[in-house]
Amino acid sequence: MRFLLLIMAKSPVPGQVKTRLCPPLSRTEAAEVAAASLLDTISAALTTPGAVPVVALSGVAQREDVREALAECVVIPQRGRTFAERLVHAHADVARFGMPVLQIGMDTPQVTPSLLESCASFEEAALGFALDGGWWALGLRDPLRARALLDVPMSRADTGARTLEALHGLKVRHLPILSDVDTMVDARVVAKQAPASRFAAALAGIAAVTR
């Protein structure tokens, strides 16, 4: 089955990404961790059977390794003032592909191709809750249904529950619950779950330097 794997991403620029990791990380270190997380996510997407990877990017990719990874994907700009608006616009922008959409972010570098492939199997919609009360994955057979997210407050402990409410009327498959990376506690947990990842290596490298 072919499906569109939509990744909402922010260019890993110091001071603009993963600021909740600062302190103990510096802004530059937080950007390094964010870049590793994005690269792991793109790598998993590119090797997911049936997936057509599309990255909705905020900002301009300044790192060469990130630019090289993005060159293997379809890249579209994020549009909108709020995150909810950017989500809705991104789904609308990929509706022209005529495929079901599985949308994730760059905060779950522990995802694997097999996990993503399995999550893409749903009848009308799918939602993967995050441990912090948000969500890490949203599947929509009709991406224009993402309009329901406009009234959902994002980055809150009830965002997942509110999103599920907004999908009322659709048959929603519940996906596995994952931890996304917002804090250093999250980062350490995810690094242990994916010890061979770029993310884990970046975190370990920073710890070694600052030890």
Side-chain angles (χ1 to χ4, degrees), residues 1-7 52 54 90-104 119-120 122 124-126 137-144 146:
M1 181 191 71
R2 297 272 285 175
F3 68 99
L4 196 144
L5 186 50
L6 175 62
I7 303 170
V52 177
V54 176
H91 280 264
D93 289 344
V94 299
R96 59 189 171 89
F97 288 91
M99 287 185 281
V101 175
L102 178 67
Q103 180 248 305
I104 62 175
C119 289
F122 55 86
E124 293 182 323
L138 171 67
L140 290 171
R141 179 68 57 177
D142 177 5
L144 295 181

Side-chain angles (χ1 to χ4, degrees), residues 187-211:
R188 295 186 184 103
V189 169
V190 169
K192 289 181 179 179
Q193 293 174 346
S197 64
R198 296 177 184 86
F199 178 82
L203 205 62
I206 291 168
V209 170
T210 57
R211 185 175 295 128

Side-chain angles (χ1 to χ4, degrees), residues 8-164:
M8 298 294 292
K10 183 181 291 186
S11 184
V13 177
Q16 298 181 21
V17 290
K18 292 296 157 210
T19 54
R20 289 177 63 185
L21 300 181
C22 309
L25 302 189
S26 69
R27 293 180 176 183
T28 298
E29 290 168 341
E32 286 289 333
V33 170
S37 185
L38 176 57
L39 291 170
D40 282 331
T41 303
I42 292 176
S43 179
L46 288 170
T47 51
T48 297
V52 177
V54 176
V55 178
L57 185 67
S58 173
V60 178
Q62 299 178 358
R63 293 172 52 119
E64 183 177 356
D65 54 355
V66 171
R67 289 199 300 269
E68 289 176 353
L70 290 173
E72 299 188 63
C73 308
V74 176
V75 179
I76 61 175
Q78 290 189 23
R79 301 185 292 116
R81 295 177 298 104
T82 67
F83 186 54
E85 288 178 355
R86 294 196 294 272
L87 284 171
V88 172
H89 285 309
H91 280 264
D93 289 344
V94 299
R96 59 189 171 89
F97 288 91
M99 287 185 281
V101 175
L102 178 67
Q103 180 248 305
I104 62 175
M106 56 182 280
D107 299 332
T108 51
Q110 73 271 42
V111 294
T112 63
S114 59
L115 173 63
L116 295 174
E117 181 185 22
S118 68
C119 289
S121 178
F122 55 86
E123 189 172 330
E124 293 182 323
L127 189 64
F129 284 99
L131 286 176
D132 63 2
W135 53 266
W136 70 273
L138 171 67
L140 290 171
R141 179 68 57 177
D142 177 5
L144 295 181
R145 291 276 194 167
R147 287 191 298 263
L149 300 179
L150 278 177
D151 296 325
V152 176
M154 297 293 164
S155 301
R156 291 187 0 178
D158 63 346
T159 294
R162 296 284 293 271
T163 300
L164 185 59

